[in-house]
């Protein structure tokens, strides 16, 4: 038995050496991107700041260049940094970089259905349906603008009840923003105190935050560890609760579905589902799993990123009162006391620049969602094989020193020319770019302008008594999205 064991050990050793030699030959036969040295099992995990992985990757780009390879656990990844590289991949080679790899935490939550984690034909079908239906329910049109301005009135009236005393804006901003996507999905709005609504907001915020935690990064690298990780269990519990709510909601709509009177996104999906079933379509796309995935994606994306951007907006206005004052002066000059509309944006270059700079500075989704290559390709001279796991690092684009005069400062002049006119910047990519650009970009831009101008028309935001602007901390809490540290503000009526 000792001889057999020794022979088996020797054979395994020889096999391992042959595998490594073959891998090295394959690597040397193509000009693969460079990267930091890995160690067995962990790869580069031991070198990574798990709380701010995008910062580690930006530092590595200074050593290995704008395209490099890393390994987290057993998952090899190609990281793309800087505007030129990310643009070349996502825009110039849009189809090649449009796939989505399997991400264990998302696979467990929605099984690859919906929009964000879907790929291939399922993703194309769901994206086409989503964009068409969002437009049908007013995205980019006057109808949804009316809903947003109405919600702005609810929000400002709620803020008035605090009578200039300190309060935390987190919940009411999330509720106000969420009501816009809820209106599209469900055809209704919730009161800010509604218990069901508050619960949905809580679990959504919690899930988004935990999805970018060190624990979940470990799970994505070693999925078999899930049973040991509390955040993973919490996400799965939250997702189950959200999906049960969605199921209950669309079953209710299904009971009185009228094909000739579709009132919201869910009903439109159910009508398509019914039509597909009548055609006896096999392997169709309009099934309940895709509906749950879509509503899950849209509710989370339509709430978290825009609400977080507005939280950053209020914090930055307190931090830079001179900028807040200039915005208010432009509002007074161009709008006066009437309620702001999107038509006013063209006359308000400084306000527009401030909103864009808030988005750039806040860097809401620093690491982006990963992409995958649909075929072998070459990028900037490096070979990237089909099926590669690719991270187009948005943070590196929004802070690219070759594109921004003061990349790490809050500087609205990034978006203004010498005459004070608004200037578009190609490196402004908070919504990503290419085929996977955020489906709700148009809606988010409208919301940010209308909420921001309504708030600053009505209030001046100040730190609580005893807190100076210098005390305000701009260090982000980074999960999957970047959120500001908890703070309180005083909304003083103008």
């Amino acid at each position: 038995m000792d001889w057999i064991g020794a022979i088996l050990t020797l054979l395994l050793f020889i096999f391992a050496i042959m595998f490594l030699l073959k891998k090295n030959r394959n690597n040397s036969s193509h000009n693969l991107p460079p990267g930091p040295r890995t160690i067995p099992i962990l790869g580069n995990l031991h070198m990574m700041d798990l709380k701010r992985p995008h910062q580690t990757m930006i530092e590595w780009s200074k050593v290995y260049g704008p395209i490099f390879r890393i390994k987290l656990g057993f998952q090899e990844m190609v990281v793309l940094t800087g505007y030129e590289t990310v643009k070349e991949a996502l825009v110039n080679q849009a189809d090649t970089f449009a796939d989505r790899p399997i991400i264990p935490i998302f696979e467990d939550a929605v099984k690859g259905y919906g929009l964000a984690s879907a790929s291939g034909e399922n993703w194309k079908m769901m994206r086409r349906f989503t964009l068409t239906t969002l437009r049908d329910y007013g995205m980019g049109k006057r109808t949804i603008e009316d809903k947003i301005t109405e919600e702005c009135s609810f929000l400002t009236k709620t803020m008035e009840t605090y009578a200039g005393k300190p309060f935390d804006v987190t919940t009411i901003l999330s509720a106000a923003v969420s009501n816009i996507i809820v209106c599209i999905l469900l055809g209704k709005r919730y009161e800010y105190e509604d218990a069901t609504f508050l619960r949905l907001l809580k679990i959504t915020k919690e899930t988004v935050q935990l999805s970018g935690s060190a624990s979940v990064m470990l799970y994505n690298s070693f999925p078999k560890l899930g049973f040991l990780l509390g955040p993973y269990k919490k996400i799965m519990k939250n997702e189950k609760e959200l999906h049960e709510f969605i199921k209950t909601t669309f079953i209710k709509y299904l009971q009185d579905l009228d094909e000739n009177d579709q009132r919201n996104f869910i009903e439109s999906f159910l009508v398509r589902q019914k039509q597909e079933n009548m055609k006896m379509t096999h392997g169709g796309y309009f099934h309940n799993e895709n509906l749950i995935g879509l509503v899950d994606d849209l509710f989370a994306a339509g709430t978290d990123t825009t609400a977080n951007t507005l939280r950053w907006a209020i914090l930055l206005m307190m931090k830079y009162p001179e900028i807040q004052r200039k915005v208010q002066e432009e509002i007074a000059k161009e709008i006066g006391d009437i309620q702001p509309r999107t038509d006013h944006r063209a006359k308000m270059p400084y306000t527009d620049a401030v909103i864009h700079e808030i988005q750039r500075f806040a860097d809401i989704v620093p690491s982006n969602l990963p992409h995958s290559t649909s075929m072998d390709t070459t990028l900037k001279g490096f070979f990237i094989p089909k099926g590669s796991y690719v991270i187009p690092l948005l943070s590196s684009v929004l802070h690219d020193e070759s594109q921004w005069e003061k990349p790490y400062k809050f500087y609205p002049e990034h978006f203004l020319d010498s005459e004070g006119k608004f200037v578009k910047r190609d490196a402004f990519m908070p919504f990503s770019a290419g085929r996977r650009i955020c489906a709700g970009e148009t809606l988010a831009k409208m919301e940010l302008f209308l909420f921001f101008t309504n708030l600053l028309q009505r209030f001046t935001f100040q730190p609580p008594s005893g807190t100076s602007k210098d005390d305000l901390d701009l260090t982000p809490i980074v999960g999957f999205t970047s959120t500001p540290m908890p703070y309180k503000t005083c909304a003083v009526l103008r």
Side-chain angles (χ1 to χ4, degrees):
M1 293 298 293
D2 290 342
W3 280 102
I4 294 173
I7 292 171
L8 286 173
T9 301
L10 180 62
L11 288 173
L12 286 171
F13 177 74
I14 293 171
F15 176 77
I17 294 296
M18 290 175 64
F19 175 78
L20 290 173
L21 288 173
K22 181 180 179 182
K23 183 177 180 181
N24 287 335
R25 282 198 302 272
N26 289 340
N27 287 352
S28 62
S29 66
H30 297 290
N31 187 26
L32 295 171
R37 185 183 297 275
T38 63
I39 64 172
I41 300 176
L42 291 180
N44 300 113
L45 269 173
H46 64 297
M47 307 166 66
M48 180 79 73
D49 180 351
L50 297 181
K51 292 184 178 179
R52 288 176 171 79
H54 65 286
Q55 293 286 11
T56 304
M57 288 185 270
I58 287 174
E59 289 303 312
W60 281 337
S61 72
K62 297 175 183 177
V63 178
Y64 302 103
I67 305 175
F68 58 93
R69 286 184 303 152
I70 61 174
K71 193 173 184 181
L72 302 184
F74 300 110
Q75 180 65 65
E76 290 190 351
M77 305 176 180
V78 176
V79 182
L80 311 180
T81 62
Y83 166 65
E84 292 295 340
T85 303
V86 172
K87 177 192 173 187
E88 173 66 28
L90 300 191
V91 179
N92 298 354
Q93 297 192 47
D95 291 329
T96 302
F97 285 86
D99 277 356
R100 187 77 79 205
I102 294 175
I103 308 165
I105 190 69
F106 295 149
E107 187 69 16
D108 291 350
V110 292
K111 311 299 184 216
Y113 293 117
L115 196 59
S117 61
S119 203
E121 287 302 314
N122 187 74
W123 167 71
K124 291 177 182 177
M125 183 67 75
M126 290 301 100
R127 184 173 177 84
R128 192 178 305 122
F129 171 80
T130 298
L131 289 172
T132 300
T133 309
L134 288 177
R135 283 193 291 267
D136 288 344
Y137 289 106
M139 187 174 77
K141 299 178 182 178
R142 186 77 182 211
T143 50
I144 201 65
E145 181 178 358
D146 290 340
K147 293 291 183 184
I148 298 170
T149 54
E150 180 185 27
E151 196 63 43
C152 287
S153 297
F154 288 118
L155 177 61
T156 54
K157 286 177 183 176
T158 301
M159 286 191 173
E160 286 176 16
T161 64
Y162 291 95
K165 295 178 182 178
F167 68 102
D168 187 328
V169 297
T170 303
T171 300
I172 60 172
L173 283 181
S174 294
V177 170
S178 188
N179 263 332
I180 306 305
I181 194 66
V182 165
C183 174
I184 293 172
L185 293 173
L186 307 179
K188 62 179 290 185
R189 72 173 297 275
Y190 286 98
E191 297 296 331
Y192 297 164
E193 303 82 13
D194 184 281
T196 299
F197 191 36
L198 290 174
R199 178 61 186 166
L200 292 175
L201 293 174
K202 181 179 185 298
I203 64 175
T204 299
K205 180 176 181 292
E206 191 173 63
T207 297
V208 171
Q209 203 66 33
L210 289 175
S211 294
S213 66
S215 178
V216 169
M217 182 179 288
L218 285 173
Y219 172 72
N220 285 334
S221 300
F222 306 102
K224 291 185 179 179
L225 293 178
F227 71 98
L228 296 173
L229 303 173
Y232 168 79
K233 295 177 183 177
K234 187 66 177 174
I235 289 173
M236 290 302 104
K237 182 181 177 182
N238 286 349
E239 285 294 296
K240 182 179 179 182
E241 185 175 345
L242 178 59
H243 293 177
E244 286 301 321
F245 169 81
I246 296 169
K247 288 177 186 177
T248 302
T249 302
F250 73 66
I251 288 172
K252 182 168 58 179
Y253 284 125
L254 195 57
Q255 291 171 347
D256 59 350
L257 188 63
D258 183 352
E259 291 187 35
N260 298 315
D261 184 23
Q262 301 167 36
R263 297 165 295 179
N264 54 59
F265 185 95
I266 290 179
E267 288 193 351
S268 293
F269 188 99
L270 292 172
V271 167
R272 285 291 298 272
Q273 183 183 74
K274 185 177 180 181
Q275 293 169 350
E276 195 172 77
N277 290 340
M278 289 176 65
K279 294 177 183 177
M280 300 297 288
T281 304
H282 296 288
Y285 299 101
F286 290 87
H287 46 70
N288 290 350
E289 288 81 3
N290 259 333
L291 176 55
I292 291 170
L294 278 179
V295 176
D296 188 332
D297 289 342
L298 292 171
F299 184 80
T303 299
D304 188 79
T305 52
T306 303
N308 268 334
T309 305
L310 289 172
R311 286 177 64 200
W312 278 108
I314 291 174
L315 177 61
L316 288 164
M317 292 305 96
M318 291 194 294
K319 185 77 172 178
Y320 301 101
E322 68 283 1
I323 293 176
Q324 179 174 202
R325 186 165 52 252
K326 288 179 71 174
V327 170
Q328 290 172 329
E329 288 172 356
E330 188 173 64
I331 290 173
K333 177 184 177 184
E334 301 297 340
I335 301 178
D337 294 329
I338 64 173
Q339 189 160 30
R341 307 292 301 196
T342 53
D343 291 344
H344 292 123
R345 185 199 297 264
K347 301 177 182 178
M348 302 172 67
Y350 188 77
T351 301
D352 205 8
V354 169
I355 293 171
H356 279 70
E357 181 66 359
I358 290 167
Q359 290 182 268
R360 188 200 68 82
F361 182 85
D363 191 13
I364 295 293
V365 190
S367 295
N368 202 350
L369 278 170
H371 290 231
S372 179
T373 47
S374 59
M375 63 185 77
D376 291 348
T377 190
T378 301
L379 185 66
K380 301 288 186 182
F382 291 109
F383 176 72
I384 300 178
K386 177 182 178 180
S388 293
Y389 191 116
V390 179
I391 301 177
L393 205 64
L394 291 186
S395 186
S396 71
V397 178
L398 297 176
H399 297 96
D400 190 328
E401 293 180 8
S402 71
Q403 300 294 317
W404 307 100
E405 185 180 346
K406 299 180 181 180
Y408 295 99
K409 300 289 185 181
F410 183 68
Y411 188 63
E413 286 74 12
H414 281 139
F415 296 92
L416 295 170
D417 64 14
S418 59
E419 298 178 354
K421 295 179 180 178
F422 180 80
V423 176
K424 290 183 178 181
R425 301 292 295 270
D426 291 338
F428 180 70
M429 288 186 182
F431 300 102
S432 193
R435 297 285 185 266
R436 289 275 181 174
I437 194 168
C438 174
E441 178 186 8
T442 303
L443 178 62
K445 287 180 176 179
M446 182 182 285
E447 287 181 285
L448 287 174
F449 179 77
L450 292 174
F451 277 116
F452 184 71
T453 52
N454 270 274
L455 289 173
L456 264 68
Q457 181 189 54
R458 190 71 176 154
F459 305 104
T460 295
F461 293 96
Q462 299 174 352
S465 178
T467 303
S468 72
K469 65 177 184 177
D470 296 328
D471 296 326
L472 299 174
D473 190 354
L474 298 182
T475 305
I477 301 172
V478 179
F480 175 69
T481 55
S482 178
T483 63
M485 293 283 188
Y487 68 84
K488 289 189 175 182
T489 187
C490 298
V492 180
L493 277 170
R494 297 183 63 209

